[in-house]
Amino acid sequence: MTIKNAGRAPVEAEQAAIGRWIDHWEPENTEFWHRTGKRVAWRNLWLSVLAEHLGFNVWTLMSIVVVSLDDVGYAFTVGQTFWLLILPNLVGAALRIPYTFAIPRFGGRAWTTMSASLLLVPCAMLAGAVTAEETPYWFFLLTAAVMGVGGGNFSSSMTNISFFFPEHRKGLALGINAAGGNIGVAVSQLLVPFAIHLGTGINLSYAALIWMPVIVVSSACSWFFMNSLTAAKPDNTSYREALTSKHTPVMALLYVGTFGSFIGFSFAFPSLIGIAFSDFSQFAGIAFLGALIGSVARPIGGWLSDRMGGARITLWNFVGLSLGTVGVLLGVRVESFALFFGSFVLLFVFTGIGNGSTYRMIPLIFRTETSERVARTGEDMEAAQKAAKRQAGAVVGVVGSVGAFGGVVVNLVFKFSLQAGGTVIPALLAILVFFLTCVLVTWWFYVRSTFAIERAPNLSYARI
């Protein structure tokens, strides 16, 4: 579907665009944005949020179900349980790269519909596994691995939405989209324990069944009301150039420090409460507040970055993460649960803000580099900026994948620390060193230099 007249009636343009490819998309054109683009973009955003939220709901299911497997007759060892927890993370992280490239190949509408529909498979497998007698361990492993499709949804969703919004609104839009997904962790941690205790006894199948009707609704809405943008289709060079850019590994490292910490802390926090402060183990039930607070903070990071610059926010955010880690360390050393819990909540706040600010930096980095190159070479600005958007979309997927692997690393660091010395202090010291490294990396690459967005035409409102 082509929208060729930015001045046509907004309602008519919006209706014409529903469920179609859009060939003409100019979010930077103020008239186009207010007459046509704004409504289409926000409709696609909210439907994307729903699909991505469900992805996180399903992705984290096994981490909640394993707690009750012993109660229904499955006596798995600690090692077996560990693999049930780590497989969804590994598969989800690995899928984020191909999911990113699915957007230019299939379009946002078709791929969101397909990726949401795929969530029915692990739900059905889990429902069958926990209701059939003597289900073998290998089937639980397979079910946990298939749950990883929920983790892949994040990258395709973020890549797709990044094309819909103008630069000065992209930070908030990506922050809302990501927060809507991230909050799925907290929602599952809160709702699933209640669901499985409905009725008599423990009904683990309800952990999967409660999501299936919503998944069907989400898939239908994605198909009938979302759009695909021709601007997201790949050219011959932009995606390859993005993957070889020096900024891709740098931003991946920073995202490990933000999203990797968020997802790693979300899985570890309930256990750490019981391990570090056994007398306060009853507070493990409110550990979902960490994931909830971190998710809510994410759009704040995007909003602040739109106004103050993503690099500046990211820099000070890692300073905050370092201070929060020091607080957790002191809480463990002096055996103060209040300091430990409060500092951990602060960590979640900063991981959320950092998630928003780092993702805000990516499109601006490539847009700035492109503008500078055009100024030197005289190539066509419009074509170059379209390529820059494709490059940024590719990097979003790569960075998201590496960040998800970071969540696995965080949990392994805690695991090895506890196995080696029976305390989390070595793990916290290692995390503190990593956060301080991220402070230096952010300053070196994006704050100290003159690599500023003011140098790009018509984008003097912020720094990267």
Side-chain angles (χ1 to χ4, degrees):
M1 175 64 198
T2 302
I3 301 180
K4 293 185 176 180
N5 183 2
R8 69 193 298 183
V11 175
E12 178 187 351
E14 180 186 3
Q15 291 175 342
I18 290 178
R20 300 290 187 272
W21 280 89
I22 300 177
D23 297 327
H24 179 242
W25 189 253
E26 294 184 276
E28 304 298 340
N29 182 316
T30 303
E31 181 182 7
F32 177 90
W33 176 252
H34 288 291
R35 288 181 178 269
T36 300
K38 185 176 182 180
R39 294 190 181 189
V40 175
W42 281 99
R43 184 182 66 239
N44 278 268
L45 172 60
W46 293 124
L47 292 174
S48 175
V49 166
L50 175 60
E52 187 190 347
H53 179 89
L54 290 168
F56 273 82
N57 290 147
V58 174
W59 193 21
T60 56
L61 271 184
M62 189 61 76
S63 67
I64 306 167
V65 169
V66 292
V67 177
S68 300
L69 285 178
D70 282 347
D71 297 331
V72 295
Y74 294 99
F76 296 143
T77 66
V78 173
Q80 289 176 318
T81 300
F82 175 77
W83 281 110
L84 290 178
L85 294 176
I86 199 171
L87 269 179
N89 280 313
L90 286 175
V91 174
L95 285 178
R96 286 187 169 196
I97 293 179
Y99 267 53
T100 298
F101 293 101
I103 292 298
R105 175 64 180 85
F106 300 103
R109 170 193 174 223
W111 186 251
T112 303
T113 303
M114 184 181 301
S115 61
S117 300
L118 284 174
L119 298 175
L120 292 170
V121 177
C123 286
M125 292 176 67
L126 178 61
V130 297
T131 54
E133 294 184 3
E134 299 182 354
T135 301
Y137 175 68
W138 66 263
F139 190 80
F140 276 99
L141 279 177
L142 181 61
T143 302
V146 176
M147 286 179 178
V149 299
N153 282 9
F154 176 85
S155 286
S156 58
S157 179
M158 294 292 281
T159 299
N160 183 44
I161 291 303
S162 70
F163 287 98
F164 277 94
F165 285 82
E167 293 297 332
H168 67 286
R169 298 180 185 271
K170 197 166 289 186
L172 178 60
L174 291 177
I176 292 173
N177 190 59
N182 292 172
I183 207 171
V185 179
V187 170
S188 285
Q189 290 177 343
L190 176 63
L191 293 185
V192 171
F194 285 105
I196 63 179
H197 287 93
L198 291 175
T200 304
I202 300 175
N203 299 287
L204 290 182
S205 62
Y206 292 174
L209 296 177
I210 59 173
W211 306 114
M212 296 179 77
V214 190
I215 291 171
V216 172
V217 172
S218 175
S219 301
C221 289
S222 298
W223 180 254
F224 288 110
F225 300 113
M226 287 190 73
N227 306 102
S228 299
L229 297 180
T230 304
K233 289 185 176 180
D235 54 24
N236 294 327
T237 61
S238 59
Y239 274 63
R240 182 174 65 252
E241 290 175 355
L243 297 179
T244 58
S245 170
K246 68 177 181 180
H247 297 289
T248 302
V250 175
M251 292 307 302
L253 175 70
L254 299 182
Y255 199 60
V256 167
T258 56
F259 180 77
S261 299
F262 167 79
I263 198 68
F265 292 159
S266 295
F267 278 94
F269 194 28
S271 298
L272 292 178
I273 291 175
I275 292 170
F277 295 90
S278 57
D279 292 340
F280 294 87
S281 58
Q282 67 271 22
F283 287 94
I286 62 172
F288 76 92
L289 289 174
L292 177 63
I293 292 170
S295 301
V296 172
R298 183 156 188 161
I300 297 174
W303 179 81
L304 288 172
S305 299
D306 282 340
R307 285 149 180 80
M308 301 174 64
R312 292 171 179 169
I313 298 301
T314 300
L315 176 69
W316 289 108
N317 186 78
F318 279 120
V319 172
L321 283 167
S322 301
L323 293 175
T325 305
V326 171
V328 175
L329 268 167
L330 291 175
V332 174
R333 284 189 178 277
V334 303
E335 299 182 352
S336 170
F337 178 74
L339 180 59
F340 171 85
F341 190 87
S343 297
F344 234 116
V345 169
L346 187 65
L347 286 178
F348 277 108
V349 171
F350 284 121
T351 59
I353 292 174
N355 284 339
S357 64
T358 49
Y359 255 50
R360 174 61 180 133
M361 292 169 64
I362 294 172
L364 292 181
I365 288 170
F366 285 93
R367 186 175 179 86
T368 299
E369 283 200 325
T370 299
S371 297
E372 292 181 337
R373 187 182 71 249
V374 168
R376 293 193 308 268
T377 63
E379 62 182 284
D380 180 69
M381 173 65 80
E382 183 177 355
Q385 292 294 7
K386 286 182 178 179
K389 287 186 177 182
R390 295 186 180 102
Q391 292 171 15
V395 173
V396 162
V398 175
V399 168
S401 177
V402 176
F405 278 117
V408 178
V409 173
V410 167
N411 281 279
L412 287 176
V413 168
F414 279 122
K415 177 179 180 292
F416 293 144
S417 177
L418 289 166
Q419 286 181 331
T423 175
V424 297
I425 289 178
L428 291 170
L429 288 172
I431 291 170
L432 175 60
V433 171
F434 177 72
F435 285 151
L436 291 174
T437 301
C438 289
V439 171
L440 294 176
V441 169
T442 306
W443 177 80
W444 181 265
F445 283 96
Y446 303 116
V447 177
R448 74 171 180 94
S449 69
T450 57
F451 192 67
I453 203 69
E454 288 96 333
R455 298 167 64 184
N458 302 320
L459 287 173
S460 60
Y461 53 83
R463 291 178 66 89
I464 287 174

